[in-house]
Amino acid sequence: MNDLTIHKTRFYAGFSWLAEAVRLLAKNPLIWLLMAIVLCCTIFVFYGVFALSVTLLGSEVSYYTAIGLGLAVLWILCFPLFGGLLLSAEALDKDNHLPILTIYAGFRYKFRDLAILSVCALLLLALFSLLWAIAIRAVAILLIAYFAPMHPLLGYVMLEGLSPWFAAVSVIFHLIPFAVIWFAPALVVLNDKTPLAAIRGSLRILRRNWLSLPLLWLTLGLPIIFLGWKWKQFARHMPDMMLTFLGCYIGLLPILCALLVYVGHRHIVATQEDEEEYD
């Protein structure tokens, strides 16, 4: 990472990145919509083929094992797709050209590095999940032991009352791995970094922009969570629309995230060539 300069941004910089991402989205909205449909179809077709293969295997693979393997392989394949979205954003920004098939460019360019990066991210997420499980069990044991002299069931009652807070803290804690690798795919695809160097670089970016990035994620995440909850409530009354709502999230959310990553990377990360051109 010595050949890259990591700029520190102001805490409100994320709002300008969001506006710029929307501007890139509005440059060619029809093509982006078609790419969202292609992305949804790719993921659904993959999962359908995987489900069919599991069905053909019969009882040799358990249901939960099949689901776990399917999600793991889908996670690995999502990183090359995300790399293709980053290359699409770069092509639209620099050349004002957006071929639909650029979405698959991650499979032709840097596929091995992106796949290794996805495995590293999966291991990081598993590590944080393990740490959270250990921490929550330790808290439960301490609470039960502390309140046991007062009443044998008081500790369990306290745990039940604190469960919403535990759930909120769990969500925030499990978002840390995603924050750490937020810029890693861009560093692999756009700066030709190895997976481990990209993770270190992404962590360095997060450390230098520890206020602007969380503020951006909070600004973007709260409306997405609220809309997802409203769509889920609406889909209960219209079950036939659930696939459409799921498709909107699978197709549009990665595109928006890719645009935000690209714009943020362009403002934060500068190569030596960029510095010389600026001078």
Side-chain angles (χ1 to χ4, degrees), residues 162-192:
L162 292 174
S163 58
W165 294 98
F166 288 153
V169 175
S170 174
V171 172
I172 297 174
F173 187 77
H174 283 87
L175 286 177
I176 295 177
F178 294 98
V180 170
I181 64 169
W182 178 256
F183 284 103
L187 293 173
V188 169
V189 173
L190 303 178
N191 297 112
D192 199 25

Side-chain angles (χ1 to χ4, degrees), residues 113-142:
D113 289 338
L114 289 171
I116 294 174
L117 178 63
S118 67
V119 173
C120 294
L122 190 61
L123 292 176
L124 188 63
L125 183 61
L127 175 61
F128 272 75
S129 299
L130 178 62
L131 291 176
W132 175 253
I134 295 174
I136 201 68
R137 177 161 296 189
V139 171
I141 293 174
L142 290 174

